[in-house]
């Protein structure tokens, strides 16, 4: 399939209700409004196609950019490619659920994510923390430095309340993910969650909300899901 064929198929799968939901979360024109599940049949046909993924991402159409992440070949992408994709990721559903997810399937994931976390740019920071969430939730514990993850928890404890809004979400999710999926630091994650307490997040045109990692971790404990790992990062 070429770009035109994919775009036509995506447009045929669009739903106005889905489009409005995406727009309420920050998506902007151009977009069609395609449910992610509706993309799977086409993804099974195409499988991985990095050239097509690049062409789709460059359209600026949200649905095409999301689908680009599904068919991308992460191991064919360089750090420069991921930086370019981040430049085009204008809201969190792209930065955290397309770029960060794709990055998490590479050998350079931690190095790039570390740079994004230190960037002081809201969406890059959010993508960096989110990438670690995808990594910790999928890869064996022994692939990570316990001292490094512990230092990251301490960083969050000291900075989360003063961080940008989307970064707060990703940081809070990092605490939860460590507490649930990274057994060596479960106890420290629980301690960090309690020390951090409720995290206030301000939303555009919506009421503020509060994030509480400690409750989420406890729910996983109650379900007997400690040590949970996803089989796949991308759907």
């Amino acid at each position: 399939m070429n770009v035109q064929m994919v775009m036509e198929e995506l447009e045929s799968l669009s739903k106005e209700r889905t489009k409005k939901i995406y727009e309420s979360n920050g998506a902007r024109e151009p977009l069609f409004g395609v449910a992610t599940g509706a993309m799977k049949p086409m993804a099974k046909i195409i499988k991985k196609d990095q050239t097509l993924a690049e062409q789709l991402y460059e359209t600026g159409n949200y649905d095409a950019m999301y689908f680009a992440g599904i068919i991308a070949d992460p191991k064919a992408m360089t750090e420069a490619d991921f930086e370019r994709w981040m430049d085009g990721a204008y809201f969190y559903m792209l930065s955290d659920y397309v770029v960060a997810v794709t990055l998490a399937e590479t050998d350079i994931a931690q190095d790039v994510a570390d740079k994004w976390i230190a960037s002081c740019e809201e969406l890059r920071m959010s993508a960096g923390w989110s990438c670690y969430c995808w990594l910790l939730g999928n890869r064996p514990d022994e692939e990570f430095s316990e001292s490094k993850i512990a230092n990251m928890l301490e960083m969050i404890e000291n900075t989360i309340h003063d961080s940008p809004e989307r970064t707060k979400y990703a940081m809070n999710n990092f605490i939860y993910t460590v507490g649930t999926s990274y057994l060596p630091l479960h106890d420290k994650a629980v301690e960090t969650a309690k020390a951090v307490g409720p995290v206030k997040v301000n939303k555009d045109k919506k009421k503020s909300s509060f994030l509480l990692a400690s409750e989420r971790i406890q729910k996983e404990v109650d379900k007997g899901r400690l040590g949970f790992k996803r089989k796949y990062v991308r759907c």
Side-chain angles (χ1 to χ4, degrees):
M1 298 181 74
N2 58 31
V3 175
Q4 183 178 345
M5 293 169 67
V6 173
M7 295 299 285
E8 289 175 354
E9 179 65 16
L10 288 173
E11 186 171 16
S12 73
L13 296 170
S14 65
K15 302 290 183 183
E16 189 62 29
R17 182 174 180 275
T18 303
K19 181 177 180 179
K20 289 180 179 179
I21 292 173
Y22 290 163
E23 288 176 328
S24 71
N25 280 282
R28 65 192 184 206
E29 294 286 359
L31 76 158
F32 298 131
V34 183
T36 56
M39 297 179 180
K40 289 184 178 181
M42 186 163 53
K44 288 182 179 179
I45 295 172
I46 298 172
K47 297 181 180 180
K48 290 182 180 179
D49 187 330
Q50 186 59 31
T51 300
L52 180 57
E54 292 287 357
Q55 293 170 340
L56 289 168
Y57 199 85
E58 289 175 4
T59 65
N61 178 291
Y62 168 67
D63 301 283
M65 295 170 81
Y66 191 97
F67 189 68
I70 295 176
I71 65 169
D73 182 358
K75 294 183 179 179
M77 297 179 70
T78 64
E79 181 175 345
D81 292 327
F82 283 106
E83 291 292 352
R84 179 164 42 77
W85 277 36
M86 270 304 303
D87 288 339
Y90 63 86
F91 79 126
Y92 78 96
M93 288 173 70
L94 289 170
S95 63
D96 295 11
Y97 296 102
V98 176
V99 186
V101 173
T102 307
L103 176 62
E105 291 196 0
T106 71
D107 295 332
I108 61 173
Q110 291 193 48
D111 290 339
V112 176
D114 290 342
K115 293 177 183 178
W116 288 351
I117 288 171
S119 71
C120 295
E121 296 179 28
E122 181 173 11
L123 290 182
R124 272 184 163 78
M125 293 168 70
S126 180
W129 288 108
S130 293
C131 182
Y132 268 97
C133 293
W134 296 114
L135 289 168
L136 290 164
N138 170 254
R139 299 192 184 186
D141 289 345
E142 54 266 27
E143 288 195 20
F144 304 92
S145 164
E146 185 174 334
S147 61
K148 178 180 181 179
I149 301 301
N151 288 337
M152 293 172 77
L153 286 172
E154 291 176 7
M155 182 193 304
I156 289 175
E157 183 176 339
N158 294 328
T159 64
I160 188 170
H161 292 291
D162 297 318
S163 295
E165 304 309 303
R166 282 311 318 179
T167 308
K168 289 179 182 178
Y169 275 101
M171 285 178 157
N172 187 76
N173 199 39
F174 180 87
I175 300 173
Y176 158 77
T177 304
V178 174
T180 302
S181 297
Y182 187 64
L183 291 178
L185 290 177
H186 166 75
D187 291 340
K188 182 171 180 60
V190 171
E191 293 172 3
T192 302
K194 291 179 179 178
V196 166
V199 179
K200 184 179 180 180
V201 178
N202 298 313
K203 300 180 179 180
D204 293 337
K205 301 178 182 179
K206 296 181 181 179
K207 292 182 179 179
S208 298
S209 61
F210 290 88
L211 310 175
L212 196 59
S214 57
E215 285 188 356
R216 292 183 65 198
I217 294 172
Q218 187 57 50
K219 287 180 180 178
E220 300 302 323
V221 172
D222 294 342
K223 294 177 182 178
R225 284 166 54 88
L226 288 189
F228 169 76
K229 300 285 185 180
R230 300 181 188 86
K231 188 175 181 179
Y232 303 105
V233 177
R234 292 184 295 172
C235 296

